[in-house]
């Protein structure tokens, strides 16, 4: 449950879109690194007293390596300017029935300027959509798209398997200007557009953001339990089904690695094998880059053989993808490993982006 702490802000270390990183001193003199979302709690300043949820930091979780600011109790932010007793500014509640639930304007609800456009929308018109297990694949997929289709409009659909606030992601902040926009779906929030479901989010990406291509992935902070079904990336398979239902073209980015110390994630991760092999009922195109280490390539081919009954396994040329990855506007990192430490992982994601870009011609 929640491990509460109270302290005083001593410094604002840095800011990025939607977030502020703080130094906080506790009453016993200990210090904590904390993260605040100003849209929820207000703008923290040195000297402010803050209430913190410190559980993830105390546990040493990698992605959750912050205490999270729950409130500035002595300086609460003002109410939003809209009337609080009407739905004119939206009534989409996310992180529902938690203490910090935001009430937002959904892209397709009645008060939205996009309502009429989406009211009858029922197809994404064959749009290629790349699905990925981990948030870290996002910039690599985008690099692969840009290698061959630099002018394509690419939307990111943020699902709620990881961090719910889009603002947590420094990667997403660094990609500002490189994406047509972000649609946060389900319980996730903080994107350029808010949608209640993945289906409505995909429709918004196509018909509101005007995307030529979309990428679907959870936010940072994948949950895994070391069991076949107990991981948040299982939703990748459901994403394939949603894309197919809406007349899109699912392209699967595979989680491939020869650097992960855990056997279940070496070769093709069991996350990909379960999501695409057991959960996805609609066919997808699963992308493998050429040029993998021969031993890894053989392992990948053997792992994907059972999936070929439902999906199409495609091999994509990797020439130029390394350069595209190194030119990424944001740093590449997965599970603490950078591009050179886990090259196959990022290369596989970039290959999926390249393949999806090829479907635009």
């Amino acid at each position: 449950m929640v491990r509460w702490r109270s302290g005083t802000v001593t410094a604002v270390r840095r800011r990025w879109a939607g977030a502020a990183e703080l130094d906080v001193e506790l009453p016993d003199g200990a210090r904590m690194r904390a993260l605040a979302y100003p849209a929820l709690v207000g703008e923290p300043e040195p000297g402010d007293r803050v209430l913190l949820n410190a559980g993830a930091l105390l546990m040493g979780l990698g992605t959750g390596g912050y205490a999270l600011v729950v409130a500035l109790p002595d300086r609460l932010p003002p109410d939003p300017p809209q009337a609080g007793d009407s739905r004119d500014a939206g009534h989409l509640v996310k992180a529902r029935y938690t203490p910090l639930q935001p009430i937002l304007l959904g892209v397709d609800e009645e008060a939205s300027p996009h309502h009429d456009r989406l009211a009858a929308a029922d197809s994404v018109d064959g749009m290629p959509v790349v699905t990925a297990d981990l948030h870290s694949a996002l910039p690599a997929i985008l690099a692969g798209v840009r290698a061959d289709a630099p002018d394509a409009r690419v939307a990111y659909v943020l699902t709620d398997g990881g961090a719910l606030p889009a603002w947590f992601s420094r990667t997403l902040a660094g990609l500002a200007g490189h994406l047509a926009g972000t649609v946060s779906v389900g319980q996730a929030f903080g994107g350029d557009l808010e949608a209640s479901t993945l289906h409505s989010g995909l429709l918004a990406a196509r018909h509101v953001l005007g995307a030529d291509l979309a990428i679907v992935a959870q936010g940072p902070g994948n949950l895994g339990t070391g069991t076949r079904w107990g991981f948040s990336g299982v939703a990748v398979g459901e994403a394939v089904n949603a894309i197919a239902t809406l007349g899109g073209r699912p392209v699967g980015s595979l989680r491939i690695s020869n650097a992960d110390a855990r056997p279940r994630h070496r070769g093709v991760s069991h996350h990909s094998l379960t999501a695409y092999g057991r959960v996805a009922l609609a066919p997808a195109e699963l992308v493998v880059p050429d040029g993998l280490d021969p031993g890894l390539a053989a392992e990948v081919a053997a792992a994907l053989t059972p999936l070929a009954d439902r999906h199409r396994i495609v091999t994509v040329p990797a020439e130029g993808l390394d350069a595209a990855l190194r030119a990424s506007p944001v740093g590449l990192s997965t599970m603490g490993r950078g591009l050179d430490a886990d090259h196959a992982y990022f290369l596989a994601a970039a290959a999926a982006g390249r393949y999806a870009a090829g479907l635009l011609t």
Side-chain angles (χ1 to χ4, degrees), residues 12-22 36 38 42-46 170 173:
V12 179
R13 296 168 57 95
R14 56 178 170 168
R15 296 177 183 271
W16 60 89
E21 184 182 272
L22 316 172
E43 290 284 351
E45 298 175 358
R170 293 195 296 273

Side-chain angles (χ1 to χ4, degrees), residues 206-265:
R206 179 64 171 177
H207 298 291
V208 177
L209 295 179
D212 303 310
L213 184 154
I215 301 169
V216 175
Q218 63 185 330
N222 173 71
L223 171 65
T225 64
T227 63
R228 175 175 294 174
W229 296 103
F231 65 97
S232 52
V234 74
V236 168
E238 300 290 4
V240 169
N241 298 335
I243 296 159
T245 295
L246 293 174
R249 192 159 178 179
V251 176
S253 175
L254 295 167
R255 184 174 171 182
I256 294 173
S257 177
N258 59 357
D260 201 303
R262 298 165 294 181
R264 65 184 183 273
H265 292 306

Side-chain angles (χ1 to χ4, degrees), residues 242-312:
I243 296 159
T245 295
L246 293 174
R249 192 159 178 179
V251 176
S253 175
L254 295 167
R255 184 174 171 182
I256 294 173
S257 177
N258 59 357
D260 201 303
R262 298 165 294 181
R264 65 184 183 273
H265 292 306
R266 292 179 70 87
V268 182
S269 167
H270 81 101
H271 285 192
S272 289
L273 296 176
T274 299
Y276 294 117
R278 301 290 300 279
V279 181
L281 302 180
E285 291 161 286
L286 306 182
V287 179
V288 179
D290 69 3
L292 293 175
D293 173 83
L296 176 61
E299 191 174 353
V300 168
L304 293 178
T305 296
L307 277 63
D309 289 341
R310 178 175 304 149
H311 304 295
R312 181 177 172 224

Side-chain angles (χ1 to χ4, degrees), residues 20-96:
E21 184 182 272
L22 316 172
D23 285 332
V24 176
E25 184 174 347
L26 306 186
D28 63 2
R31 292 180 177 271
M32 283 188 166
R33 186 176 64 160
L35 194 69
Y37 301 122
L40 297 183
V41 301
E43 290 284 351
E45 298 175 358
D48 280 337
R49 185 167 68 96
V50 290
L51 299 182
L52 304 174
N53 179 338
L57 178 61
L58 294 172
M59 191 174 289
L61 298 180
T63 304
Y66 290 103
L68 295 173
V69 175
V70 180
L72 310 179
D74 303 322
R75 195 167 57 83
L76 297 176
D79 285 346
Q82 303 87 0
D85 58 354
S86 79
R87 298 186 175 192
D88 292 345
H91 75 292
L92 185 58
V93 182
K94 296 201 175 185
R96 288 189 280 276

Side-chain angles (χ1 to χ4, degrees), residues 95-143:
R96 288 189 280 276
Y97 299 101
T98 63
L100 290 178
Q101 62 180 18
I103 300 176
L104 306 156
L105 178 63
V107 66
D108 56 351
E109 63 174 301
E110 292 85 346
S112 168
H114 310 295
H115 176 264
D116 290 345
R117 188 180 310 173
L118 293 176
D122 197 43
S123 173
V124 296
D125 307 324
M127 179 175 67
V129 183
V130 184
T131 56
D133 176 19
L134 299 178
H135 186 70
S136 56
L138 171 63
I141 295 168
L142 186 62

